Amino acid sequence: MTDLLTAEAVREKLGGLADWTGDPTRISRTVELGSFPAAIAVVDRVAEVAERLDHHPDIDIRWRTVTFRCVTHSAGGVTDRDVELARQIDDIVRSAR
């Protein structure tokens, strides 16, 4: 099983991620893209990464606004797997803008 991050560790790791917030229960980021198709394209790319990592975020799509929430459900909170997924989501969002 993957080790849960403490509140301090989550704060520290989020310091290296732009626009992510959270606590030991989950981390999240909301992004606004230029259009609905652009938002869907980002979600599609995140889905490909999530499949490769076998680690899937919760995703909420509202027109061109997308919220990503990462938590390792099997561990009951945030782990390094969530932080790595967040980094890759950031890369995808950055390349879409």
Side-chain angles (χ1 to χ4, degrees):
M1 181 183 274
T2 307
D3 291 334
L4 290 173
L5 298 178
T6 64
E8 182 179 330
V10 170
R11 276 191 305 275
E12 181 180 304
K13 290 180 185 277
L14 289 180
L17 296 171
D19 303 318
W20 285 85
T21 60
D23 56 44
T25 64
R26 71 174 180 161
I27 59 175
S28 63
R29 178 181 181 190
T30 299
V31 297
E32 187 171 314
L33 286 303
S35 65
F36 183 70
I40 296 303
V42 165
V43 169
D44 283 343
R45 291 184 59 206
V46 169
E48 291 172 9
V49 168
E51 280 295 296
R52 189 175 65 247
L53 295 176
D54 191 28
H55 193 62
H56 305 85
D58 296 327
I59 302 173
D60 181 44
I61 306 165
R62 306 288 172 124
W63 185 36
R64 59 186 189 154
T65 302
V66 181
T67 300
F68 298 98
R69 291 180 188 88
C70 300
V71 58
T72 304
H73 296 286
S74 61
V78 176
T79 68
D80 282 327
R81 294 183 76 196
D82 301 300
V83 175
E84 177 56 29
L85 180 56
R87 282 191 185 104
Q88 293 199 36
I89 290 170
D90 280 352
D91 290 344
I92 291 166
V93 169
R94 201 171 12 262
S95 71
R97 290 192 165 160

